[in-house]
Amino acid sequence: SSIIKQFRTSWKTLPDPRQPNNNTQHSVTDALLLAFAVFFFQQPSFLAAQRELARRKGRDNTVTLFETQTTPTENQIRNILDGFQPDDFHEDYYALLGTLEKEGYLLPYKKLTGTYHIALDGVTYHESKEICCPNCTQRKDKTGVVHYYHQALIAMLTQPDSAHVLAFPPECI
């Protein structure tokens, strides 16, 4: 609950990328919390499962655990969140790691020397032959077709005896 409270406080200050509209039903904060909840619950169709739970029980986990007021659809969440950049949330990553460390959750990740296990991975998170932006890297294949892409370096806290990892903010390459 302290992490959700921390996120709510941080995300209240984010601008709403939508045009002002009398029909706006869902807050940016609720959409962000639901995007976070997808990773928390790790269900194949998270929002469908929550709607079914609300239909059967009158309430769903997003209201109970994440204190959301409404549950937008997947398309509504995408429309709200597409305007944000990863950098908008880097401080939240570090605040979350600070909270986890303060509450002792990072102790299992420490080695005997007092340092942490860190794994690095390079990922391509966008690739297209048509869609590009000024920040895209590009390459030509053997046939001369240009491919546009973005890559990032991801650092994660790991523990050899655990299936869990804690990711740091991605560093764009």
Side-chain angles (χ1 to χ4, degrees):
S1 66
S2 65
I3 291 169
I4 299 304
K5 188 176 191 177
Q6 186 175 319
F7 283 164
R8 278 195 164 283
T9 301
S10 173
W11 295 342
K12 278 183 185 175
T13 63
L14 290 172
D16 190 333
R18 300 169 289 182
Q19 294 293 324
N21 185 331
N22 289 339
N23 196 28
T24 302
Q25 301 174 33
H26 311 291
S27 72
V28 169
T29 303
D30 279 356
L32 287 164
L33 285 168
L34 288 170
F36 176 69
V38 168
F39 296 103
F40 183 82
F41 288 110
Q42 299 182 358
Q43 293 173 321
S45 181
F46 169 73
L47 291 175
Q50 295 308 306
R51 283 192 289 275
E52 176 60 19
L53 185 61
R55 187 188 66 74
R56 286 186 292 119
K57 302 282 185 178
R59 206 164 189 203
D60 65 42
N61 288 329
T62 62
V63 173
T64 307
L65 299 175
F66 293 90
E67 303 169 11
T68 59
Q69 303 302 309
T70 61
T71 304
T73 66
E74 289 89 345
N75 284 337
Q76 289 168 324
I77 291 173
R78 278 188 215 97
N79 288 338
I80 294 169
L81 303 187
D82 276 352
F84 292 104
Q85 299 299 314
D87 293 353
D88 294 331
F89 305 99
H90 283 191
E91 290 302 317
D92 296 315
Y93 274 102
Y94 295 119
L96 175 61
L97 287 173
T99 299
L100 293 173
E101 182 176 42
K102 184 173 74 176
E103 294 182 9
Y105 290 105
L106 299 186
L107 286 175
Y109 293 90
K110 272 196 178 178
K111 299 189 311 186
L112 292 175
T113 60
T115 59
Y116 291 101
H117 293 271
I118 303 282
L120 297 174
D121 192 12
V123 298
T124 299
Y125 63 92
H126 163 77
E127 185 169 356
S128 175
K129 295 175 191 168
E130 295 91 24
I131 300 171
C132 68
C133 74
N135 297 319
C136 279
T137 304
Q138 53 184 296
R139 67 173 174 79
K140 283 186 182 178
D141 63 22
K142 289 185 228 180
T143 64
V145 175
V146 176
H147 296 258
Y148 303 99
Y149 61 97
H150 286 261
Q151 292 181 312
L153 181 67
I154 308 291
M156 294 157 281
L157 285 178
T158 65
Q159 172 48 271
D161 299 329
S162 175
H164 302 284
V165 299
L166 296 170
F168 287 98
E171 187 64 38
C172 293
I173 299 173

